[in-house]
Amino acid sequence: MNFLGSFQQLGRAFMLPMIVLPGAAIFLFLGQLPWGMIGLPAMSGYLQTASEAIFTFLPYFFAIGISLGLTGNALAAGMAALAGMVIYVSITGSADLKIEPTVFIGSLIGMISGFSYERFKNLRLPEYIQFFGGPRFVPLFVSAVSVLFSIAMVGIAPYIERMLVELGEIVASGGGFGVFLYGFVHRILVVFGLHHLVSHVFWFQIGGFETADGSMVYGDLPRFFAGDPTAGYFMGGMYPTMMFALPAIAFAIIHEAREDLKPKIRKTFLSAALASFLTGVTEPVEFAFLFVAPYLFVVHALLSGVIMWVTYELGIRHGFSFSGGAIDYFINLHLATKGWLLIPIGIIVGIVYYVLFRWAINRFRIPTPGREEGSQLDEWAGDIPYRAPLILQAIGGKDNIIQMESCITRLRLKVANERLLDINALRNLGAAGVIRLGGGNVQVVFGTYSELIRGEMIKSIQRDQAQVLFSSPMQGRMIPLEEVPDPIFSGKLVGEGVAFIPDKGELVSPVKGEIIHVYPTMHAVGIRTPEGLDVLLHIGIDTSQLGGKGYFNAVVKEGDEVLPGALLVKFDLQRIRKESKSIATPMVITNSDLVRSWRFAPFKAVKKGQSSVMSVVLKERNSGGEGK
């Protein structure tokens, strides 16, 4: 599956230049307004020109955007792509045959620039010409390739133009089944984040249309905005799915949640439903059932294809600049054919989806969010600065990250060691799913907060603050220290921290450190970290009187060095539960004066040894050792 890892980066790169398309659609829509009535008759022309300019220079946007997306925003790659496009347009424009740049050409030059940068960025030349080595060699190399490529294109352009038009005719000859197949494959590829690749072919390559000024445009999307009445069937059928089907699934999940969890689930999934309806961002809803019921996702993909087939057969043509949400629907409705039919179709689709998913969740006991073991999709935008360091720890720390990018709904990572990923911790921190593509390529789905999370993680890496990361010392449920039924701990007189309600009778080390104290009763253990923090783990409340009766069995002694996850104490959970005040187990730092700030993961179920349950940033110290 290593090739999937390469494709994930390419898929994200294709998304970068598409962020300019909504601007073109908005300008085109605004240009239809009666500006003359308010004394601005020229405004319509200006807006129309702005929209046309974006589509005219779209190949340049794709060339530069893809090159930057493939290289982590390397300026040398972007400059190389721009130089390549200028050379291509100049050489082909001087030929007798009129050859216009297309998105395909821009994408190809962008990929050449991106791959060339990765290949030559560390190139060493003889010292007297080393100025042209490294990244500076990339624009030179791409320019040379572009010259040869442009000359070749002058000769083969007529055949390629004919091939693209014929390919569009072949696809069109497939009729509704071809559209169904596209809709099904597109939905399946969402799982891997590769749907942009197949969409790129249909939206920007297949089919040709000659505009009024005699120029040719290719692909379903540019043809739709250029006024081609046959364009829009690879986009229009997505509106019912994104505006109605996915929100219906969200409502089904809400109504099947447990009553005690329903308020929280309602808040989360109403937001997810609104995001899908307005903007066409579907992953927060889809990933809520993808991992617990993948067969249901296949049914969803099949239905998505069927919906596109139906809209095709009804002669509906509609398009979008970004995705099939209500914003694009209404902005571009003036260009659509029978676009109004998508609303009643969508309502029927929504009802079918709602009934189907409620029945399936009930019938097959699918653990969607809000049910017994459902995954969590929390509303936690305000917590991002606090959770980002914990997410970084769950990924394996900054040293495990080779490359980190983000798209609309997911972090796209390349890690050095996939075994360092803590999937449970990532889910606990709000991830809807984690997808391994092989070769260290991983996607972590956080929904529309992904870019913000990446930004906070980068800040955390750049700060490089002295901090100590804590894993879970036991399997069970993490609770705030204030909920411990003991005024000494809940009042934080011993120290700040968190507590756990154990499910199993094992206590493990949450940190690396030295055992500095094992109480004679073995109900509590003290650990000192290399940074000087003293961590107290206290099993249960009022359990000191249970010592010597076989309740606790420590497997470490004072002076032992331990690593996170190392077994410290085995204990008889059932007997302690019956004979003590509480089984709540505090984990506190007794010298909290050394800590500048605290970060806690959500208070929910945790696994033994699970990373990223707590993180503390230490105060800076002067030469005398006093906190500043």
Side-chain angles (χ1 to χ4, degrees):
M1 291 206 348
N2 222 356
F3 69 99
L4 289 179
S6 301
F7 278 139
Q8 93 152 339
Q9 189 177 4
L10 187 58
R12 179 197 169 277
F14 273 120
M15 275 299 295
L16 184 60
M18 290 185 66
I19 61 177
V20 303
L21 289 176
I26 293 171
F27 294 149
L28 188 61
F29 170 75
L30 294 177
Q32 310 299 315
L33 300 179
W35 293 98
M37 296 179 63
I38 59 174
L40 297 172
M43 183 60 72
S44 293
Y46 295 150
L47 292 170
Q48 181 77 19
T49 301
S51 176
E52 292 174 354
I54 290 178
F55 282 106
T56 299
F57 290 97
L58 201 57
Y60 291 84
F61 297 143
F62 269 84
I64 297 171
I66 289 174
S67 66
L68 295 177
L70 288 174
T71 59
N73 298 323
L75 295 180
M79 181 63 70
L82 179 59
M85 281 301 301
V86 170
I87 290 171
Y88 174 84
V89 171
S90 300
I91 292 179
T92 56
S94 65
D96 294 333
L97 178 66
K98 187 177 182 180
I99 303 174
E100 297 188 22
T102 65
V103 169
F104 172 76
I105 296 298
S107 301
L108 190 60
I109 291 177
M111 287 187 285
I112 292 172
S113 301
F115 294 140
S116 298
Y117 178 83
E118 293 301 323
R119 174 65 179 83
F120 298 118
K121 63 182 178 182
N122 297 317
L123 178 66
R124 293 187 178 184
L125 297 174
E127 186 175 351
Y128 54 89
I129 56 170
Q130 179 56 33
F131 174 81
F132 298 104
R136 287 185 290 270
F137 180 76
V138 178
L140 294 176
F141 177 79
V142 174
S143 297
V145 171
S146 297
V147 169
L148 298 176
F149 174 69
S150 303
I151 294 172
M153 280 297 297
V154 171
I156 64 175
Y159 305 102
I160 293 179
E161 181 179 15
R162 192 178 310 126
M163 180 189 69
L164 287 174
V165 175
E166 291 178 355
L167 183 59
E169 293 173 352
I170 292 172
V171 173
S173 67
F177 180 74
V179 178
F180 158 79
L181 197 60
Y182 165 74
F184 171 72
V185 172
H186 178 274
R187 211 77 247 139
I188 290 294
L189 289 179
V190 166
V191 176
F192 304 100
L194 304 178
H195 49 298
H196 308 307
L197 297 179
V198 67
S199 296
H200 179 82
V201 175
F202 287 89
W203 292 351
F204 296 104
Q205 309 303 332
I206 289 179
F209 174 69
E210 186 173 353
T211 62
D213 62 2
S215 60
M216 291 290 294
V217 293
Y218 299 95
D220 207 40
L221 192 151
R223 288 191 293 118
F224 174 79
F225 284 101
D228 185 353
T230 67
Y233 52 85
F234 285 112
M235 296 180 287
M238 291 186 178
Y239 280 110
T241 298
M242 296 178 176
M243 289 175 59
F244 296 94
L246 271 301
I249 296 174
F251 281 108
I253 290 173
I254 292 170
H255 294 154
E256 288 300 322
R258 285 169 20 200
E259 287 302 320
D260 59 322
L261 296 177
K262 194 165 288 186
K264 180 179 180 181
I265 296 301
R266 182 182 294 112
K267 180 181 179 182
T268 298
F269 278 89
L270 282 179
S271 298
L274 189 62
S276 181
F277 177 77
L278 290 177
T279 67
V281 175
T282 62
E283 281 94 329
V285 177
E286 289 178 317
F287 278 81
F289 67 91
L290 168 62
F291 294 101
V292 295
Y295 53 87
L296 198 56
F297 191 89
V298 174
V299 173
H300 164 53
L302 288 169
L303 288 175
S304 298
V306 170
I307 293 167
M308 293 194 68
W309 193 340
V310 170
T311 59
Y312 172 85
E313 295 295 345
L314 291 176
I316 300 172
R317 303 290 183 267
H318 206 326
F320 46 73
S321 60
F322 170 69
S323 192
I327 295 175
D328 254 308
Y329 174 82
F330 288 108
I331 286 177
N332 302 315
L333 186 59
H334 65 288
L335 298 173
T337 302
K338 298 184 180 179
W340 64 270
L341 277 175
L342 292 172
I343 299 299
I345 291 173
I347 293 173
I348 296 172
V349 166
I351 294 172
V352 170
Y353 262 78
Y354 177 78
V355 172
L356 172 64
F357 270 74
R358 284 206 69 174
W359 172 81
I361 292 170
N362 244 318
R363 174 68 177 80
F364 300 108
R365 300 183 181 275
I366 299 173
T368 49
R371 291 171 68 82
E372 292 302 320
E373 299 293 338
S375 59
Q376 297 289 336
L377 284 175
D378 295 316
E379 178 65 43
W380 50 282
D383 290 341
I384 289 175
Y386 304 100
R387 293 201 199 183
L390 300 175
I391 293 170
L392 181 61
Q393 181 193 0
I395 291 171
K398 64 178 183 179
D399 293 334
N400 195 39
I401 298 176
I402 298 175
Q403 186 173 17
M404 178 172 62
E405 301 293 344
S406 64
C407 62
I408 298 171
T409 57
R410 61 191 83 190
L411 289 179
R412 296 173 182 259
L413 304 163
K414 186 174 180 62
V415 297
N417 187 351
E418 289 188 39
R419 289 178 294 181
L420 296 180
L421 294 172
D422 192 326
I423 307 300
N424 287 321
L426 288 169
R427 289 184 178 277
N428 192 42
L429 289 164
V434 179
I435 304 168
R436 300 171 186 262
L437 299 176
N441 295 283
V442 179
Q443 297 177 358
V444 187
V445 182
F446 280 110
T448 50
Y449 298 131
S450 297
E451 181 60 35
L452 297 177
I453 293 170
R454 175 180 175 270
E456 288 298 331
M457 289 173 65
I458 290 175
K459 289 180 185 178
S460 181
I461 292 172
Q462 291 174 342
R463 289 191 201 107
D464 199 22
Q465 296 168 317
Q467 61 180 327
V468 181
L469 307 170
F470 289 76
S471 300
S472 173
M474 54 180 48
Q475 177 173 310
R477 181 168 57 91
M478 189 168 80
I479 63 173
L481 199 60
E482 293 84 350
E483 294 183 11
V484 175
D486 181 271
I488 301 296
F489 284 110
S490 61
K492 302 181 181 178
L493 300 180
V494 178
E496 173 72 281
V498 293
F500 301 85
I501 305 296
D503 290 340
K504 292 186 177 181
E506 291 184 339
L507 179 74
V508 301
S509 178
V511 291
K512 175 184 178 182
E514 177 188 353
I515 304 297
I516 58 173
H517 194 57
V518 178
Y519 284 70
T521 52
M522 295 183 285
H523 73 288
V525 177
I527 305 173
R528 179 166 294 155
T529 72
E531 297 81 8
L533 294 181
D534 292 338
V535 182
L536 173 66
L537 299 160
H538 192 287
I539 304 171
I541 302 301
D542 293 344
T543 51
S544 58
Q545 75 276 10
L546 301 179
K549 301 178 182 178
Y551 291 87
F552 306 98
N553 179 29
V555 297
V556 293
K557 62 183 183 300
E558 293 178 7
D560 286 352
E561 298 286 340
V562 292
L563 295 174
L567 181 62
L568 303 178
V569 179
K570 291 184 177 182
F571 55 94
D572 192 326
L573 179 60
Q574 300 306 323
R575 292 176 64 194
I576 295 173
R577 180 182 280 118
K578 291 178 182 178
E579 301 182 33
S580 67
K581 180 178 180 180
S582 171
I583 59 171
T585 300
M587 176 179 74
V588 298
I589 298 175
T590 58
N591 52 349
S592 299
D593 58 301
L594 299 181
V595 177
R596 188 175 77 185
S597 63
W598 303 73
R599 297 181 177 95
F600 305 103
F603 296 104
K604 57 176 71 170
V606 292
K607 299 291 186 181
K608 179 182 68 177
Q610 176 178 309
S611 65
S612 309
V613 299
M614 186 173 81
S615 168
V616 299
V617 175
L618 304 181
K619 292 179 179 178
E620 296 180 6
R621 299 187 181 188
N622 58 23
S623 58
E626 296 295 322
K628 291 182 180 179

